[in-house]
Amino acid sequence: MMLNRNKQWKFELRWFVFVLPALAFYLVFFLLPTLSSSYYSLTDWDGVRSRFIGLDNYKELLSDKMIQESFKNTALYTVMITILQNVLGLGAALVLSKAFRGVTVIRMLIFMPYIFSTLLIGYVWGFILEPNIGALNHLLDAAHLGQLKLSWLSDPRTARWMIISVTIWQCLGYSMVIYIAGLQGVPSDLYESGSLDGAVGFRKFWYITFPLIAPAFTINIVLCLIGNLQLFNQIYALTGGRSRLRDGIRGHHDLSARVRKRHSVGLRLRIVRDAVRLHPFYNACDGVLFAQERGGNVMQLTFPRIGGIVGKLALWVLSIVFVYPIALVFLSAVKSKTELANNPFGWPTDLTLDSFHKAFQTMHYFRSFANTALIGGIAIAGVVLMAAMASYAIARRNNRFYGSIYYLFLAGIIIPFQMAMIPLYKLLLSWHLINSYQGVVFVYFGMLAPFSVFLLSGFIRSVPRELDEAAYVDGSGIYMTFFRIILPLLKPAVTTITVLDLFTVWNDFLMPMLFLSNNAKMTITVQLSAFQGMYFNDWSLIFAGVCLIVLPMLAVYLFAQRFIISGITAGAIKG
C-alpha cells in the first residue's frame, strides 16, 4: 500500500514539474505583487512604513467628485466600446468568412492596427486630430466643411467619442478574428437541415449561427469588458499626459493614477468569478478546428445578403479607413516640417530622408534595437517553453488541482499590470534587479505566462490523447512524450504565441521605462517616447522614429499573419 502511494506521489510530482516554472514566475513576479498592492490599499503606506486603516482609502476615493465622474466615464467607455466593437466585429466576420477575391488582404488590413502599441497609435491619431495642422481638420477644409472643424481632443464632448473610435479602430480586428473562428466551426449540414425546415435569411442566422458561436461571443464580450475597464493607455497616449482632456476625461486619468496606490479589487474578483464560469462554453467548440484539419465537414457561411458588389466595395472602403492612419505615418515621415504643416494628408512633393537620419541617431537605433531583441528573445523563448509545459499538464491532468491552476493563470489576463507595479518595483529593488536585463525578463515571464497558458492549453486539448497513450505503450515517459510528440504538434499555436508576445515586448515602454534607468539599456520604444518632450512639434521626426519601430514588426506581421489568425482560432475558441 505504501509502495503504491509512493509511486502515485512520484507520478504526480513528474506532472507538477511541468507546471512549476511558469507558476513560480507568475506568482512571484505578478500575482503576489498584486496581492501586496491590495493589502497596501488598506493601509496608510508612504512607500516605507504602513499603518492599517481599513477601508478609509476607499471611502476617500468614493467621496471624491472627480472619482465619481471617472466611474461614469469608465462605464460609458466600457458599454459603448463593447457594444460597437462586437457588433462591427461580428458584421465584418460574417462577410469576411465567405471566400471571395481579396478577402485575405481585407482581413489583414483590418487586423493590422492591433499589432501596434498604444504609444505609436497615440502619436498617429494625436496628429490626425490636432486642431491646427491635423489631417482631419485639413480634410474638412478641403471638402469646404470648415464649419465642422473642432478641437477634437480638447472638448470633452468630442474627446470621449474620439477615444472610443480610436480604441475600436485598434481592437476591432482581434474581435473579428475570434468571430471568424466561431463561424468556421459551424457544420454545414445544420444549414441544410434548417433550410428544409424553412429557416432562410436572417432566421437561419438567428436560430442556427448565433447560438453556435456563443463561445466566440462570450470570449469577445469578456475580453472587451476586461480591456475597457482597464482603459488607460489609449487616453494617456492621445493626450501625452497633458491636461488636454479636461473635466470628465481628466477624472479618468485621476482614477487610473490613484489606483496605482489604492487598488479596489472587489470588481476584479467578480470578473474573475465570471471568467471562470466561461469554461463550459469553451468546450462547445473543442475539436472543431482539428476536424477541419483532418478534412471534417465545416459550414459554408450563410447569412443575410448585403448586396454583392456594394458590400465588397464597402469592405474595401473600411479597409482603407483602417490602413490610412498607418500609411499617413510613412507619408509624413518623408516630408519636410514645412510641407507637413501645409499638406498633412496629401502625397509628398519633395521627398526627404533627413528626419530618418536624425531619428536614427537620436534613438541610438542599433543599440536600442539590440537591447529590445535581447530582452524579447530571452523572454519569449522562456515563456513559450514554460507555458507549453504548464499547458500540457493542465490539459492532460483534468482534475480540480490543475483546474484551479488554470483559473489562477486565467486571473492574470484580467488583472492590469498597473496593479502590481509598485510592489513589483519594491521587490526588484530589494533583489538588486533594477536596471538589469534579467529583472525585466523575469517580469515578462510572469506577465506573459497567463495568456500563453490560456492559448496553448486550448490547443493541446484538441490533440487526441491516443497519441500520448501510444507513446506510453512504446516506452516513452511523460517528458519524452511531451518533447518528442506533443511539442512538435504545437507549432501553429507556438508560432502565434511567439509573434504576439514579440509584438507585446517590442511595443512595450512602461516596464523598460520603470525598471531600466540606464539609457544604454533602454529599449527602442522608450527611446521614441523621449521625442514627445524633445521634438513634439516636429511631427516628421516623430513619424520617422515611428517608422523605424514599425517596419520590423510590419515585416513580421506580413510573414506570420496567417499563423496569427489560425493560432488565435485554434487556441482561444478551443480553450
Side-chain angles (χ1 to χ4, degrees):
M1 187 71 176
M2 184 64 68
L3 185 61
N4 290 334
R5 284 187 177 180
N6 288 336
K7 287 183 178 180
Q8 183 65 25
W9 274 105
K10 290 180 180 179
F11 179 74
E12 293 296 341
L13 183 61
R14 291 192 192 102
W15 280 107
F16 186 69
V17 167
F18 277 90
V19 177
L20 185 59
L23 184 62
F25 279 106
Y26 170 60
L27 289 176
V28 173
F29 291 99
F30 191 79
L31 192 59
L32 292 181
T34 299
L35 296 177
S36 298
S37 185
S38 303
Y39 168 74
Y40 289 142
S41 71
L42 302 174
T43 67
D44 185 15
W45 182 53
D46 60 3
V48 180
R49 293 178 296 273
S50 62
R51 179 175 59 90
F52 186 81
I53 60 174
L55 299 176
D56 289 354
N57 288 327
Y58 295 95
K59 293 177 182 178
E60 180 183 343
L61 284 173
L62 294 175
S63 63
D64 191 317
K65 292 184 179 180
M66 187 67 71
I67 299 300
Q68 294 172 6
E69 183 68 21
S70 69
F71 277 121
K72 295 179 183 178
N73 290 328
T74 303
L76 172 66
Y77 298 145
T78 300
V79 171
M80 294 304 301
I81 295 173
T82 300
I83 293 174
L84 292 174
Q85 183 174 323
N86 280 276
V87 170
L88 294 175
L90 178 58
L94 285 169
V95 179
L96 295 175
S97 293
K98 192 173 183 179
F100 60 88
R101 183 175 297 178
V103 65
T104 302
V105 175
I106 296 176
R107 285 185 193 176
M108 181 183 68
L109 294 178
I110 294 177
F111 186 80
M112 190 179 294
Y114 184 77
I115 73 175
F116 300 120
S117 73
T118 50
L119 177 68
L120 305 186
I121 288 173
Y123 280 135
V124 174
W125 281 96
F127 170 71
I128 292 174
L129 300 175
E130 213 278 335
N132 298 317
I133 65 169
L136 182 56
N137 280 346
H138 270 259
L139 189 62
L140 291 174
D141 274 334
H144 304 289
L145 297 173
Q147 68 276 12
L148 299 179
K149 291 169 57 178
L150 294 171
S151 296
W152 302 100
L153 296 176
S154 298
D155 187 342
R157 293 171 299 179
T158 57
R160 291 186 179 97
W161 292 103
M162 291 301 102
I163 292 170
I164 290 171
S165 300
V166 171
T167 304
I168 293 173
W169 175 83
Q170 182 183 12
C171 301
L172 179 66
Y174 192 83
S175 295
M176 177 195 70
V177 167
I178 294 177
Y179 280 126
I180 289 175
L183 290 167
Q184 289 177 344
V186 181
S188 60
D189 54 356
L190 293 181
Y191 289 99
E192 297 172 3
S193 301
S195 299
L196 294 176
D197 291 338
V200 294
F202 182 78
R203 289 169 59 87
K204 187 177 292 187
F205 166 77
W206 185 250
Y207 290 107
I208 299 176
T209 305
F210 189 74
L212 291 176
I213 63 172
F217 184 76
T218 306
I219 292 170
N220 262 325
I221 291 292
V222 172
L223 290 179
C224 285
L225 289 173
I226 292 169
N228 295 328
L229 286 171
Q230 300 174 11
L231 188 65
F232 173 76
N233 291 340
Q234 286 85 346
I235 299 174
Y236 183 85
L238 284 170
T239 64
R242 298 178 301 280
S243 57
R244 194 191 307 174
L245 305 184
R246 295 185 292 271
D247 302 332
I249 304 298
R250 185 179 60 206
H252 188 89
H253 269 290
D254 193 47
L255 175 62
S256 299
R258 292 191 188 193
V259 164
R260 295 179 183 179
K261 180 177 179 181
R262 302 166 177 175
H263 303 281
S264 175
V265 296
L267 179 59
R268 303 196 188 284
L269 289 177
R270 290 197 294 273
I271 297 174
V272 172
R273 179 196 63 196
D274 295 337
V276 167
R277 292 175 179 173
L278 290 178
H279 185 63
F281 290 102
Y282 294 163
N283 294 330
C285 281
D286 277 0
V288 169
L289 294 168
F290 191 82
Q292 278 183 268
E293 297 166 5
R294 298 283 179 174
N297 189 24
V298 191
M299 78 154 195
Q300 298 296 322
L301 180 66
T302 302
F303 55 90
R305 294 186 178 182
I306 60 171
I309 296 175
V310 175
K312 293 178 183 178
L313 181 62
L315 284 173
W316 280 108
V317 171
L318 179 64
S319 64
I320 291 173
V321 170
F322 274 81
V323 79
Y324 174 74
I326 299 172
L328 184 65
V329 171
F330 293 92
L331 292 175
S332 301
V334 295
K335 294 178 181 178
S336 65
K337 185 176 180 179
T338 302
E339 183 181 2
L340 185 60
N342 297 326
N343 181 28
F345 65 91
W347 290 97
T349 57
D350 186 18
L351 297 178
T352 177
L353 298 179
D354 291 344
S355 296
F356 280 93
H357 180 71
K358 188 174 181 179
F360 197 90
Q361 292 182 327
T362 305
M363 294 172 65
H364 306 286
Y365 188 76
F366 283 132
R367 186 181 68 193
S368 57
F369 185 101
N371 291 339
T372 309
L374 176 64
I375 293 173
I378 297 173
I380 293 168
V383 79
V384 167
L385 178 60
M386 291 187 293
M389 294 173 62
S391 300
Y392 180 55
I394 289 170
R396 289 299 188 250
R397 302 299 293 164
N398 192 18
N399 55 39
R400 290 184 178 180
F401 177 72
Y402 288 95
S404 300
I405 292 177
Y406 173 74
Y407 292 124
L408 194 65
F409 278 113
L410 189 65
I413 302 176
I414 299 165
I415 301 170
F417 170 73
Q418 287 85 350
M419 194 167 180
M421 187 167 60
I422 294 176
L424 188 56
Y425 186 91
K426 185 179 178 182
L427 175 67
L428 294 182
L429 188 64
S430 64
W431 288 3
H432 305 288
L433 291 174
I434 293 295
N435 198 33
S436 67
Y437 292 130
Q438 57 266 38
V440 178
V441 168
F442 289 162
V443 175
Y444 278 129
F445 282 164
M447 189 188 75
L448 298 176
F451 184 75
S452 302
V453 169
F454 169 69
L455 202 65
L456 287 169
S457 60
F459 191 90
I460 293 175
R461 287 190 182 101
S462 71
V463 177
R465 289 177 178 267
E466 289 77 9
L467 294 177
D468 304 54
E469 295 168 0
Y472 299 153
V473 171
D474 291 339
S476 295
I478 297 173
Y479 303 117
M480 187 177 295
T481 300
F482 172 74
F483 285 104
R484 292 191 176 183
I485 306 297
I486 303 300
L487 191 58
L489 295 176
L490 300 182
K491 182 179 177 181
V494 166
T495 303
T496 301
I497 289 294
T498 300
V499 173
L500 291 179
D501 286 350
L502 176 61
F503 291 157
T504 300
V505 175
W506 188 269
N507 291 325
D508 187 31
F509 77 98
L510 180 57
M511 275 193 288
M513 183 178 64
L514 285 173
F515 304 132
L516 296 175
S517 57
N518 188 344
N519 190 58
K521 295 182 178 180
M522 289 297 183
T523 59
I524 195 166
T525 306
V526 177
Q527 295 286 6
L528 176 66
S529 67
F531 283 11
Q532 194 169 23
M534 296 168 60
Y535 308 105
F536 192 74
N537 291 325
D538 194 344
W539 287 103
S540 59
L541 177 62
I542 292 174
F543 285 142
V546 170
C547 289
L548 291 174
I549 295 178
V550 164
L551 283 172
M553 291 301 98
L554 191 59
V556 171
Y557 172 69
L558 293 175
F559 171 76
Q561 58 93 15
R562 65 186 181 94
F563 297 108
I564 296 172
I565 294 176
S566 63
I568 292 173
T569 296
I573 297 298
K574 285 190 265 186

